[in-house]
Amino acid sequence: GAGVSQSPSNKVTEKGKDVELRCDPISGHTALYWYRQSLGQGLEFLIYFQGNSAPDKSGLPSDRFSAERTGGSVSTLTIQRTQQEDSAVYLCASSLRTGTVGYNEQFFGPGTRLTVL
Amino acid sequence: DAKTTQPTSMDCAEGRAANLPCNHSTISGNEYVYWYRQIHSQGPQYIIHGLKNNETNEMASLIITEDRKSSTLILPHATLRDTAVYYCIVSSSGAGSYQLTFGKGTKLSVIP
């Protein structure tokens, strides 16, 4: 497809369970980002991947959160031992280039709505 | 990155121009102004960006004041599909500028 895709679109889980969220970026985009958006709030940066460089994990809220990007394309965000406060929409974005000339158009996926009961 | 201030909400009549203001009084010389919007239940969508000159594309125009302390996003002929939350973001160029810090934005309601 032409855009960023994410799966699943909705995920309901029980407190304490692990979840995996998937992101397929736009082909050829070297940069990939994860954000989360709680109800009525702005976006919160979580993690950033750029090519083969070590990811910037500075936004991850706890060590229960981790992400990987295999082969420089698909990314998986994993939340272990989910808590109710993890309930949010998790958004993935990709961009063709980043920061070199101040141009930072990020293309967002539709998000995964996570509900932890 | 510099902080931005936007009105919480605005209304606009369908077919009229929507002018969305943004204050960024602490913007520094290498920081760009970006606008994104988020339609309900969708991911954010890039609209336009600029440094100091006014910019126009197929979606909107961006007017940046000469001192760069504020800007206005203009949707020339608003339609019902333009109802969304509009985010004004200031972000620097160079390495490490990849994070976009989204505030609360302006909820624009286009009214028939």
Side-chain angles (χ1 to χ4, degrees):
Chain A
V4 176
S5 60
Q6 293 185 245
S7 61
S9 55
N10 281 285
K11 176 71 176 179
V12 180
T13 191
E14 294 179 347
K15 178 181 173 181
K17 295 287 181 67
D18 298 351
V19 295
E20 284 189 352
L21 312 180
R22 177 188 168 102
C23 172
D24 279 275
I26 293 173
S27 177
H29 280 192
T30 59
L32 187 147
Y33 319 74
W34 283 97
Y35 296 84
R36 74 175 175 181
Q37 187 171 32
S38 301
L39 187 64
Q41 302 298 312
L43 273 70
E44 175 189 5
F45 168 78
L46 296 177
I47 189 170
Y48 157 75
F49 296 90
Q50 170 60 52
N52 295 322
S53 303
D56 178 352
K57 306 178 182 180
S58 60
L60 295 179
S62 79
D63 58 8
R64 296 186 295 106
F65 287 72
S66 63
E68 62 177 19
R69 188 180 184 193
T70 54
S73 181
V74 171
S75 177
T76 302
L77 177 70
T78 302
I79 308 173
Q80 296 179 309
R81 305 181 302 281
T82 53
Q83 303 294 313
Q84 289 183 330
E85 60 263 28
D86 299 335
S87 296
V89 175
Y90 288 81
L91 290 154
C92 174
S94 70
S95 66
L96 182 60
R97 49 188 170 162
T98 177
T100 55
V101 289
Y103 180 64
N104 195 13
E105 180 178 353
Q106 296 183 17
F107 295 82
F108 284 80
T112 294
R113 181 175 298 278
L114 175 66
T115 302
V116 182
L117 302 177
Chain B
D1 293 335
K3 179 182 168 61
T4 62
T5 304
Q6 299 177 253
T8 303
S9 64
M10 292 181 63
D11 292 340
C12 178
E14 187 179 18
R16 304 298 292 269
N19 298 282
L20 292 93
C22 180
N23 287 323
H24 31 79
S25 59
T26 61
I27 192 169
S28 60
N30 67 342
E31 290 183 313
Y32 284 69
V33 180
Y34 294 85
W35 284 84
Y36 280 72
R37 73 180 181 182
Q38 189 172 23
I39 296 170
H40 183 60
S41 298
Q42 297 182 22
Q45 176 191 23
Y46 166 84
I47 301 172
I48 199 167
H49 77 284
L51 182 61
K52 54 184 177 181
N53 296 322
N54 297 338
E55 303 288 344
T56 296
N57 63 19
E58 65 278 4
M59 290 183 68
S61 294
L62 174 60
I63 308 299
I64 302 175
T65 57
E66 191 169 342
D67 63 7
R68 302 210 320 124
K69 293 185 177 182
S70 64
S71 61
T72 301
L73 178 75
I74 301 172
L75 308 177
H77 306 286
T79 71
L80 298 179
R81 287 174 293 182
D82 292 323
T83 292
V85 178
Y86 287 77
Y87 297 97
C88 169
I89 300 162
V90 171
S91 182
S92 62
S93 61
S97 67
Y98 41 82
Q99 290 186 34
L100 294 179
T101 302
F102 288 74
K104 296 285 184 69
T106 295
K107 181 173 172 53
L108 176 68
S109 298
V110 180
I111 301 168

